[in-house]
Amino acid sequence: MKTLTPMLTTICALLAFGCAPADEKNPADDGLSCDASLDSDGDGIDDCSELDLGLDPASDDTDGDGMADGAEIDCGSSPTDIDDTCYQCGWGRNDPGNITPTGAALGDVMENLSLVDQCKETIDTYDFAGEYHILYMTAAF
Amino acid sequence: MFALFAGASGGPATADDAESYAAYIGNPNFPIFADANNVIVDATPMTQESYPEVCVIAPDMSLVQCYAGHGFVEAALDDVKAHASQ
């Protein structure tokens, strides 16, 4: 019996895993039904994906911050955080949150700057991480 | 991305200057920043002793190369290519 117990445990675990994969989440299992072909609120996210993401499929602006859920996901903003919105000029929020500034010389990681853009909004420069940029400094006159 | 260290009046650049400059160059789909407090100079090798100045910034926000004066945009693009191929 001592030798059978681990084997039975393994078989049971394998059976359990095969019957109910942990990564196959179905909103219907939570008592909620959905249709992946529908986007009831017209925010660009289908109803099932809304449920998976914890969004309201009947509201195009789940957090009530004035921006549609789909637009917030596209720009990297949280559609469930009223204080997190897309930039007015449409820049993505691409700060990975793990950038550590090292200095101001060539080769250094520059610090995160807060600058006002042409939409008169304060922008964090780390939100432009993930792509190359050429910073061109000049005067308006 | 553009940054204005001085506005149309010659004083520190304002948000209005950024808006006007964006309209002047055709409302581009890249940011025009107003650097009213000269924070870019402290955060990069730029000096503001001459302008324009150009810096290439890598995806990890590291400073790849900087230039002062006209005619360095092509060189900056070459720096991007070289850095990306490393």
Side-chain angles (χ1 to χ4, degrees), chain A residues 5 15-16 18 22 26 29-30 33 42 46 71 90 107 109-110 113 132:
Chain A
T5 301
L15 285 172
N26 182 352
D29 294 339
D30 299 327
S33 60
D46 71 75
V109 175
M110 64 185 294
L113 305 177
Y132 283 94

Side-chain angles (χ1 to χ4, degrees), chain A residues 35-57:
Chain A
D35 184 342
S37 67
L38 288 179
D39 177 10
S40 299
D41 54 15
D43 62 0
I45 308 169
D46 71 75
D47 290 1
C48 291
S49 295
E50 293 230 25
L51 292 172
D52 283 341
L53 295 168
L55 305 177
D56 182 352

